[in-house]
Amino acid sequence: MRINRIVAGAMASVLALGAVTPAFADNDRRDWREDRREDRREYRHDVREARRDYERDRRDARRDWRHDHGYRPAPPPPRVVYRPGYRPGPGYGWQVGHRYRDYYRGPVYVVNDYPRYHLRRPPYGHQWIRDDRGNMLLVAIATGVIAQYVLSH
């Protein structure tokens, strides 16, 4: 009987030890994985900091070089301003080379029946437009610049 108790006690201790051992092994593995994850995060953080430092140093060196060599940025190019084609007064104010003021705003009356108005066929890229007073304007389609005008009487 005594041997049965010893064998039963030994078996119980072996089973208890067998049940506890995997728990210890899993904790070690988890800790190792978490450590690796932390190491990767720290490495990425260090790489980001190094990149920021490099960019900051490069920016400072460029600024210093510009200051040392008297570099001044070029002035902006002059702004192109178009005058409107309409000027109040006699003759209605249309001029060749100016933009048709209503070309992109309001209704545009394109003339397609040239013989009716005694007009020649427009060259490629142009069209005849009638303004609100009946004047005929030969206007470039792409830019709206007046190439020719015929005043009505």
Side-chain angles (χ1 to χ4, degrees), residues 90-109:
Y92 202 68
W94 296 122
Q95 293 183 359
V96 174
H98 285 199
R99 286 184 177 261
Y100 177 59
R101 68 181 177 95
D102 293 329
Y103 187 68
Y104 292 110
R105 293 178 294 178
V108 176
Y109 301 102

Side-chain angles (χ1 to χ4, degrees), residues 105-151:
R105 293 178 294 178
V108 176
Y109 301 102
V110 178
V111 177
N112 290 326
D113 51 346
Y114 321 116
R116 178 178 174 197
Y117 295 99
H118 306 288
L119 300 172
R120 65 182 171 87
R121 185 183 188 102
Y124 181 78
H126 291 75
Q127 63 186 5
W128 285 103
I129 294 177
R130 189 176 72 209
D131 68 354
D132 55 349
R133 290 193 179 175
N135 300 325
M136 298 296 173
L137 306 168
L138 182 64
V139 177
I141 295 172
T143 59
V145 175
I146 298 173
Q148 183 181 356
Y149 61 92
V150 177
L151 300 177

Side-chain angles (χ1 to χ4, degrees), residues 38-70:
E38 274 301 313
D39 291 342
R40 277 183 280 166
R41 285 180 186 152
E42 288 177 11
Y43 174 74
R44 280 191 233 133
H45 181 71
D46 294 342
V47 168
R48 282 190 203 111
E49 280 187 4
R51 190 177 298 138
R52 280 190 211 117
D53 292 341
Y54 172 76
E55 289 171 359
R56 210 174 290 131
D57 293 341
R58 188 168 174 224
R59 204 176 309 124
D60 293 342
R62 192 170 180 186
R63 184 176 55 236
D64 294 342
W65 183 90
R66 286 181 171 185
H67 179 72
D68 293 343
H69 294 294

